[in-house]
Short mmCIF file of all heavy atoms in Angstrom, two decimals:
data_model
loop_
_atom_site.label_atom_id
_atom_site.label_comp_id
_atom_site.label_asym_id
_atom_site.label_seq_id
_atom_site.Cartn_x
_atom_site.Cartn_y
_atom_site.Cartn_z
N ARG A 76 49.23 73.24 40.93
CA ARG A 76 50.37 72.87 41.77
C ARG A 76 50.44 73.86 42.92
O ARG A 76 50.09 75.03 42.74
CB ARG A 76 51.70 72.96 41.00
CG ARG A 76 51.91 71.89 39.98
CD ARG A 76 53.40 71.81 39.65
NE ARG A 76 53.92 73.02 39.09
CZ ARG A 76 54.10 73.23 37.79
NH1 ARG A 76 53.78 72.29 36.94
NH2 ARG A 76 54.60 74.37 37.35
N GLN A 82 47.62 66.49 51.78
CA GLN A 82 47.59 65.09 52.20
C GLN A 82 46.65 64.28 51.31
O GLN A 82 45.54 64.69 51.01
CB GLN A 82 47.14 64.97 53.65
CG GLN A 82 47.37 63.57 54.20
CD GLN A 82 47.41 63.53 55.68
OE1 GLN A 82 46.80 64.36 56.34
NE2 GLN A 82 48.12 62.58 56.24
N ARG A 83 47.16 63.13 50.92
CA ARG A 83 46.36 62.22 50.10
C ARG A 83 45.53 61.31 51.01
O ARG A 83 45.77 61.22 52.20
CB ARG A 83 47.29 61.37 49.24
CG ARG A 83 48.06 62.18 48.23
CD ARG A 83 47.51 61.90 46.86
NE ARG A 83 47.90 62.92 45.91
CZ ARG A 83 48.88 62.79 45.03
NH1 ARG A 83 49.58 61.69 45.02
NH2 ARG A 83 49.14 63.74 44.18
N ASP A 85 45.65 58.15 51.13
CA ASP A 85 46.42 57.02 51.66
C ASP A 85 47.40 57.47 52.74
O ASP A 85 48.20 56.67 53.20
CB ASP A 85 47.16 56.30 50.53
CG ASP A 85 48.17 57.21 49.85
OD1 ASP A 85 48.12 58.43 50.10
OD2 ASP A 85 48.98 56.72 49.06
N GLY A 86 47.36 58.73 53.14
CA GLY A 86 48.23 59.21 54.20
C GLY A 86 49.49 59.88 53.72
O GLY A 86 50.19 60.51 54.50
N GLY A 87 49.80 59.74 52.44
CA GLY A 87 51.00 60.36 51.89
C GLY A 87 50.79 61.85 51.65
O GLY A 87 49.69 62.37 51.77
N LEU A 88 51.90 62.51 51.32
CA LEU A 88 51.83 63.94 51.05
C LEU A 88 52.37 64.19 49.65
O LEU A 88 53.17 63.41 49.13
CB LEU A 88 52.68 64.74 52.04
CG LEU A 88 52.36 64.64 53.52
CD1 LEU A 88 53.43 65.38 54.29
CD2 LEU A 88 51.02 65.24 53.81
N ILE A 89 51.95 65.31 49.06
CA ILE A 89 52.54 65.75 47.80
C ILE A 89 52.79 67.24 47.90
O ILE A 89 51.99 67.97 48.45
CB ILE A 89 51.63 65.37 46.60
CG1 ILE A 89 52.31 65.67 45.28
CG2 ILE A 89 50.30 66.07 46.67
CD1 ILE A 89 53.17 64.56 44.80
N ARG A 90 53.97 67.63 47.39
CA ARG A 90 54.35 69.04 47.46
C ARG A 90 55.13 69.38 46.20
O ARG A 90 55.93 68.55 45.72
CB ARG A 90 55.21 69.28 48.69
CG ARG A 90 55.74 70.66 48.81
CD ARG A 90 56.93 70.72 49.73
NE ARG A 90 56.55 70.55 51.12
CZ ARG A 90 57.09 69.66 51.93
NH1 ARG A 90 57.99 68.84 51.47
NH2 ARG A 90 56.73 69.59 53.17
N PHE A 91 54.88 70.52 45.65
CA PHE A 91 55.63 70.97 44.48
C PHE A 91 56.48 72.16 44.87
O PHE A 91 56.28 72.76 45.92
CB PHE A 91 54.67 71.34 43.35
CG PHE A 91 53.85 70.20 42.86
CD1 PHE A 91 52.57 69.98 43.34
CD2 PHE A 91 54.36 69.32 41.92
CE1 PHE A 91 51.82 68.92 42.89
CE2 PHE A 91 53.61 68.25 41.47
CZ PHE A 91 52.34 68.05 41.96
N ASP A 92 57.42 72.50 43.98
CA ASP A 92 58.32 73.60 44.31
C ASP A 92 57.74 74.97 43.95
O ASP A 92 58.32 75.99 44.30
CB ASP A 92 59.66 73.41 43.59
CG ASP A 92 60.60 72.57 44.42
OD1 ASP A 92 60.15 72.07 45.45
OD2 ASP A 92 61.77 72.42 44.04
N ASP A 93 56.65 75.01 43.22
CA ASP A 93 56.09 76.31 42.86
C ASP A 93 54.57 76.25 42.90
O ASP A 93 53.97 75.19 43.04
CB ASP A 93 56.56 76.73 41.46
CG ASP A 93 55.99 75.83 40.38
OD1 ASP A 93 55.58 74.71 40.71
OD2 ASP A 93 55.95 76.25 39.22
N THR A 111 52.35 72.72 29.90
CA THR A 111 53.78 72.46 29.75
C THR A 111 54.35 71.55 30.81
O THR A 111 55.38 70.93 30.59
CB THR A 111 54.56 73.79 29.79
OG1 THR A 111 54.20 74.46 30.99
CG2 THR A 111 54.24 74.64 28.60
N SER A 112 53.73 71.45 31.97
CA SER A 112 54.39 70.71 33.04
C SER A 112 53.39 69.92 33.88
O SER A 112 52.17 69.98 33.64
CB SER A 112 55.23 71.64 33.91
OG SER A 112 54.47 72.75 34.25
N VAL A 113 53.93 69.28 34.87
CA VAL A 113 53.19 68.32 35.69
C VAL A 113 52.08 69.02 36.49
O VAL A 113 52.22 70.18 36.86
CB VAL A 113 54.18 67.58 36.61
CG1 VAL A 113 54.85 68.52 37.57
CG2 VAL A 113 53.53 66.46 37.37
N PRO A 131 50.83 66.87 30.55
CA PRO A 131 51.76 65.83 30.14
C PRO A 131 51.96 64.77 31.21
O PRO A 131 52.31 63.64 30.90
CB PRO A 131 53.06 66.59 29.88
CG PRO A 131 52.96 67.81 30.71
CD PRO A 131 51.52 68.16 30.76
N LEU A 132 51.74 65.14 32.48
CA LEU A 132 52.01 64.21 33.58
C LEU A 132 51.19 64.66 34.77
O LEU A 132 50.99 65.85 34.99
CB LEU A 132 53.51 64.28 33.92
CG LEU A 132 54.11 63.20 34.80
CD1 LEU A 132 54.09 61.87 34.09
CD2 LEU A 132 55.53 63.58 35.17
N HIS A 133 50.70 63.70 35.51
CA HIS A 133 50.09 64.09 36.78
C HIS A 133 50.49 63.10 37.87
O HIS A 133 50.55 61.90 37.65
CB HIS A 133 48.56 64.24 36.68
CG HIS A 133 47.86 63.06 36.12
ND1 HIS A 133 47.43 62.00 36.88
CD2 HIS A 133 47.51 62.78 34.85
CE1 HIS A 133 46.84 61.13 36.10
NE2 HIS A 133 46.88 61.57 34.87
N VAL A 134 50.85 63.65 39.03
CA VAL A 134 51.27 62.80 40.14
C VAL A 134 50.38 63.07 41.34
O VAL A 134 49.80 64.13 41.47
CB VAL A 134 52.73 63.05 40.55
CG1 VAL A 134 53.65 62.50 39.50
CG2 VAL A 134 52.99 64.50 40.84
N GLU B 129 50.94 55.71 38.80
CA GLU B 129 52.28 55.67 38.22
C GLU B 129 53.33 55.41 39.31
O GLU B 129 53.13 55.79 40.46
CB GLU B 129 52.58 57.01 37.56
CG GLU B 129 51.67 57.32 36.40
CD GLU B 129 51.99 56.48 35.19
OE1 GLU B 129 53.14 56.52 34.73
OE2 GLU B 129 51.09 55.77 34.72
N PHE B 131 56.79 56.18 41.31
CA PHE B 131 57.46 57.43 41.67
C PHE B 131 58.82 57.09 42.24
O PHE B 131 58.95 56.18 43.05
CB PHE B 131 56.63 58.18 42.72
CG PHE B 131 57.12 59.58 42.98
CD1 PHE B 131 56.67 60.63 42.21
CD2 PHE B 131 58.04 59.83 43.99
CE1 PHE B 131 57.12 61.92 42.44
CE2 PHE B 131 58.50 61.12 44.22
CZ PHE B 131 58.03 62.17 43.44
N LEU B 148 60.25 60.41 52.56
CA LEU B 148 60.01 61.60 51.75
C LEU B 148 60.94 61.53 50.55
O LEU B 148 62.17 61.47 50.71
CB LEU B 148 60.28 62.85 52.59
CG LEU B 148 59.98 64.20 51.93
CD1 LEU B 148 58.52 64.28 51.54
CD2 LEU B 148 60.34 65.33 52.88
N ARG B 150 62.17 62.99 46.74
CA ARG B 150 62.21 64.23 45.96
C ARG B 150 62.75 63.94 44.57
O ARG B 150 63.72 63.20 44.41
CB ARG B 150 63.10 65.27 46.65
CG ARG B 150 63.13 66.58 45.91
CD ARG B 150 64.04 67.57 46.56
NE ARG B 150 64.24 68.72 45.69
CZ ARG B 150 63.40 69.75 45.62
NH1 ARG B 150 62.34 69.78 46.38
NH2 ARG B 150 63.62 70.75 44.79
N HIS B 152 62.55 65.63 40.21
CA HIS B 152 62.10 66.69 39.31
C HIS B 152 61.26 66.07 38.22
O HIS B 152 61.73 65.19 37.51
CB HIS B 152 63.30 67.42 38.70
CG HIS B 152 63.84 68.49 39.60
ND1 HIS B 152 64.17 69.73 39.15
CD2 HIS B 152 64.07 68.51 40.92
CE1 HIS B 152 64.60 70.48 40.16
NE2 HIS B 152 64.56 69.74 41.25
N LEU B 153 60.02 66.50 38.11
CA LEU B 153 59.15 66.03 37.05
C LEU B 153 58.89 67.20 36.12
O LEU B 153 58.40 68.25 36.57
CB LEU B 153 57.82 65.52 37.63
CG LEU B 153 57.92 64.33 38.58
CD1 LEU B 153 56.57 64.05 39.21
CD2 LEU B 153 58.41 63.11 37.86
N THR B 154 59.22 67.04 34.87
CA THR B 154 59.14 68.12 33.88
C THR B 154 59.73 69.42 34.45
O THR B 154 59.15 70.49 34.36
CB THR B 154 57.70 68.37 33.40
OG1 THR B 154 56.92 68.79 34.51
CG2 THR B 154 57.08 67.14 32.79
N ILE B 156 60.02 70.44 37.36
CA ILE B 156 59.39 70.99 38.57
C ILE B 156 59.75 70.08 39.74
O ILE B 156 59.50 68.87 39.68
CB ILE B 156 57.87 71.06 38.41
CG1 ILE B 156 57.48 71.85 37.18
CG2 ILE B 156 57.23 71.64 39.66
CD1 ILE B 156 57.86 73.30 37.23
N GLY B 157 60.34 70.66 40.75
CA GLY B 157 60.67 69.87 41.93
C GLY B 157 59.41 69.34 42.58
O GLY B 157 58.47 70.10 42.83
N THR B 158 59.38 68.03 42.84
CA THR B 158 58.19 67.39 43.39
C THR B 158 58.62 66.53 44.57
O THR B 158 59.58 65.77 44.45
CB THR B 158 57.51 66.51 42.33
OG1 THR B 158 57.36 67.27 41.15
CG2 THR B 158 56.17 66.01 42.80
N GLU B 159 57.90 66.68 45.65
CA GLU B 159 58.20 65.85 46.82
C GLU B 159 56.97 65.03 47.15
O GLU B 159 55.85 65.55 47.12
CB GLU B 159 58.57 66.72 48.02
CG GLU B 159 59.96 67.26 47.93
CD GLU B 159 60.23 68.28 48.99
OE1 GLU B 159 59.59 68.21 50.05
OE2 GLU B 159 61.08 69.15 48.75
N MET B 160 57.22 63.78 47.48
CA MET B 160 56.10 62.91 47.83
C MET B 160 56.48 62.12 49.07
O MET B 160 57.56 61.56 49.15
CB MET B 160 55.77 61.96 46.69
CG MET B 160 54.46 61.23 46.86
SD MET B 160 54.25 59.95 45.66
CE MET B 160 53.22 60.77 44.49
N GLN B 161 55.58 62.13 50.02
CA GLN B 161 55.79 61.31 51.20
C GLN B 161 54.96 60.04 51.05
O GLN B 161 53.76 60.12 50.78
CB GLN B 161 55.37 62.06 52.46
CG GLN B 161 55.96 61.45 53.69
CD GLN B 161 55.57 62.21 54.93
OE1 GLN B 161 54.42 62.60 55.07
NE2 GLN B 161 56.50 62.41 55.82
N VAL B 162 55.62 58.90 51.19
CA VAL B 162 54.95 57.62 50.97
C VAL B 162 54.98 56.82 52.26
O VAL B 162 56.02 56.70 52.90
CB VAL B 162 55.65 56.83 49.84
CG1 VAL B 162 54.88 55.58 49.52
CG2 VAL B 162 55.82 57.69 48.61
N LYS B 163 53.84 56.28 52.62
CA LYS B 163 53.78 55.36 53.76
C LYS B 163 54.36 54.02 53.31
O LYS B 163 53.88 53.43 52.33
CB LYS B 163 52.33 55.18 54.22
CG LYS B 163 51.69 56.45 54.72
CD LYS B 163 51.97 56.68 56.16
CE LYS B 163 51.34 57.99 56.60
NZ LYS B 163 51.77 58.40 57.91
N SER B 166 52.07 50.91 53.43
CA SER B 166 50.75 51.07 52.81
C SER B 166 50.46 49.90 51.88
O SER B 166 51.34 49.47 51.12
CB SER B 166 50.70 52.37 52.02
OG SER B 166 49.61 52.36 51.16
N LEU B 168 48.90 49.98 49.29
CA LEU B 168 48.90 50.47 47.90
C LEU B 168 50.31 50.44 47.30
O LEU B 168 50.46 50.49 46.09
CB LEU B 168 48.37 51.90 47.85
CG LEU B 168 46.90 52.08 48.20
CD1 LEU B 168 46.55 53.55 48.18
CD2 LEU B 168 46.03 51.33 47.23
N ARG B 191 66.39 71.10 48.90
CA ARG B 191 65.44 72.02 48.27
C ARG B 191 66.13 73.27 47.74
O ARG B 191 65.60 73.96 46.89
CB ARG B 191 64.37 72.44 49.29
CG ARG B 191 63.41 71.32 49.59
CD ARG B 191 62.48 71.70 50.70
NE ARG B 191 61.69 70.56 51.11
CZ ARG B 191 61.14 70.43 52.31
NH1 ARG B 191 61.28 71.37 53.20
NH2 ARG B 191 60.42 69.37 52.59
N ASP B 196 70.45 70.99 44.95
CA ASP B 196 69.41 70.16 44.34
C ASP B 196 70.03 69.16 43.37
O ASP B 196 70.90 69.51 42.56
CB ASP B 196 68.41 71.06 43.60
CG ASP B 196 67.05 70.41 43.52
OD1 ASP B 196 66.98 69.18 43.73
OD2 ASP B 196 66.07 71.12 43.25
#
Side-chain angles (χ1 to χ4, degrees):
Chain A
R76 287 199 299 262
Q82 191 160 28
R83 295 252 162 101
D85 62 348
L88 300 173
I89 187 86
R90 175 200 288 127
F91 297 96
D92 272 7
D93 67 339
T111 54
S112 48
V113 63
L132 194 66
H133 53 87
V134 288
Chain B
E129 296 287 303
F131 189 88
L148 185 60
R150 183 182 169 84
H152 276 225
L153 298 173
T154 63
I156 304 295
T158 310
E159 284 171 27
M160 192 189 261
Q161 198 179 43
V162 186
K163 297 273 178 191
S166 164
L168 293 177
R191 287 174 189 156
D196 207 343

